[in-house]
Amino acid sequence: MTPPTTPPVKELRCHFCEGPVDVPQRGWTLGRKAYCSAHHILEDSDPWVNGQSAIDYAETLHHMDPSDLIHWPWKAMNELAGPLAPGRLTYIAAFPGGGKTSFLTHCLYWWLTKGKTVTYLPLESDPGEVFVRLACLEVGASADEALSFRLAERKATGDREAIILHDELTVAYRLFRDKRALLEQLRISRIEALTVRSFVKEVAIAQAMESDLIVVDHVDHVETEAGEFGSEIQTSNALQSEALKAAKRLNIPIVLATQLNSSRTGNDRLAHYRPPSTDWLYNKGKKEQMAANIIGLSRAMKPGIDPNWLSEVRAGVRPISDVVHDNRMAVTGMKLRYGGAAKERTSLLAYERGRITDLDAADQRETLASRHGVLLGSPSERRRAS
C-alpha cells in the first residue's frame, strides 16, 4: 500500500525581487506579502505597494462627487478656500470676541441641514449655549441678545418684536427636541479643556459615530496631564499632530478654532480690523506646519474713512466705533496650501440680525477698496475724495 503524500507547499516568492523566500517570516499569515531576507526590511516600505496605495487615494480624490464634499455656507468662503477636504486640518483664527463662535455656529447649522454628522467640542461654552445659538439662527434672532438676557428684558417691557422672537424660540426648542435625526447627527462634547488623552478619546467617539467632521472651538484650551508633557506648548504641539493624524486616519476634515494675540501686534488698536497675520497666532510654527488652510476673521472699517481718524483712533482720542463697520465680517486666507493666488486675499460677509450671509458684490467691492486704501469712481471723483 502506497502511503499518502503531503500536498506540496507553494513556494513563497519575494514580493520585491521575486526570488525565493529563504527565511520563514515571523507571524506570516495567508495573504500577507512575503519578502526574502535581503528585502524583508522593505515590508510596509515597499515603493511599489505604497505607490499603488497612493494612486488609489489620488483616484479617490479625483472621482469624489462634489455632493460628498463639505462646503462652507457662503459662496465667498468656498471661492476663497474651497470646500473642506478629508484628511486635512483647517484653522479659524480671530482675536477674542472676533466672531469665531458665531462663524462656527453658522457652519454647524448649515452642515446639519445638509445631513452631515458632526462632533463638536465647544470649549468656550456648554451644550445648552450651542442650542441657543442654533435656535437663534433658526428664527433669525441675535444669539448675543438671547444669551445676555436683553431679549427677555425687552419682552418684559412689552416690545412686540421681542415677544414674537421669544415665542418663536420656544417653538424652535420644541422642534429640536422632537428631531431625533438631528440629535443623532450632532454630538456636543462636555470637556472643558483639551489634553492629549481627552482629545484621543473624543476622536474615538467621533469614529464610532461615523462623524463627517470634527470641530474644536477652540484648540488653545490646553491642559497638561500628569506624565504626559512638560509644558503647555509641548501639549499644544502634540494636539496639533494628533489632530492631523486623526483627520488622515478617519479620512475626514477637522476644523480647529484658534486665538490671535493682541500682544503680538504691538498692541495696535486697529489690528482687529486689518487682515490678520500668522505671526499673531499662538504656537504659530506648528499650526502652519499642520494646516491645509488658516482662515482669519476680522471686522471691516467703513468705506471712505479719513486717514486722520485712523491716527486719532490709534492715539486713543477717537472711539473705534467711528471707523468700524457694524455689519461686516472679513475672512482672509492667512495660509491656503492649495490656494494659489487666493493666499492673503480677503472676502467680506454681511453680519446682521444674528446671521452671516454673502455680501452684495458691489458693496463688497466698495468696502474692500476702503480697507486697502483704494479710491473708487471716476478720476474727478477720486481727486475730490483725496
Side-chain angles (χ1 to χ4, degrees), residues 122-297:
L123 293 152
E124 289 195 320
S125 55
D126 55 51
E129 182 176 320
V130 174
F131 274 102
V132 170
R133 292 181 177 278
L134 292 175
C136 285
L137 285 173
E138 184 83 8
V139 305
S142 166
D144 291 340
E145 286 271 298
L147 290 166
S148 67
F149 302 104
R150 293 196 298 270
L151 183 65
E153 290 190 336
R154 284 173 52 203
K155 175 180 177 285
T157 65
D159 184 307
R160 181 64 180 163
E161 181 189 39
I163 292 170
I164 293 171
L165 287 174
H166 196 276
D167 290 345
E168 288 179 345
L169 285 171
T170 301
V171 174
Y173 295 132
R174 189 180 305 128
L175 291 174
F176 281 159
R177 193 181 296 278
D178 294 338
K179 290 181 180 177
R180 182 180 179 88
L182 172 72
L183 297 177
E184 289 176 347
Q185 280 176 251
L186 174 62
R187 177 181 172 272
I188 306 174
S189 169
R190 294 178 179 272
I191 64 172
E192 296 178 353
L194 281 175
T195 67
V196 175
R197 290 192 189 102
S198 68
F199 181 71
V200 168
K201 180 181 177 181
E202 294 296 330
V203 169
I205 295 171
Q207 184 175 15
M209 284 184 57
E210 298 182 343
S211 293
D212 294 305
L213 74 161
I214 297 171
V215 181
V216 181
D217 183 18
H218 60 80
V219 75
D220 301 322
H221 281 281
V222 298
E223 287 185 359
T224 301
E225 286 191 29
E228 273 193 343
F229 302 97
S231 67
E232 283 194 359
I233 195 70
Q234 289 174 312
T235 301
S236 177
N237 283 338
L239 278 168
Q240 316 311 313
S241 297
E242 281 296 331
L244 185 57
K245 290 177 190 174
K248 291 183 179 296
R249 187 173 70 254
L250 274 58
N251 198 35
I252 62 173
I254 295 182
V255 179
L256 306 171
T258 185
Q259 197 156 283
L260 300 175
N261 296 315
S262 296
S263 60
R264 301 188 182 189
T265 71
N267 293 312
D268 181 358
R269 297 187 75 217
L270 290 176
H272 292 224
Y273 315 102
R274 293 194 283 114
S277 165
T278 54
D279 290 336
W280 304 345
L281 284 168
Y282 172 72
N283 200 3
K284 163 189 181 290
K286 189 68 173 180
K287 288 172 181 172
E288 283 192 301
Q289 178 188 353
M290 297 289 105
N293 295 320
I294 304 177
I295 307 297
L297 307 182

Side-chain angles (χ1 to χ4, degrees), residues 106-117:
H106 279 71
C107 293
L108 181 62
Y109 180 82
W110 170 265
W111 294 328
L112 293 172
T113 64
K114 298 301 177 183
K116 303 301 181 185
T117 300

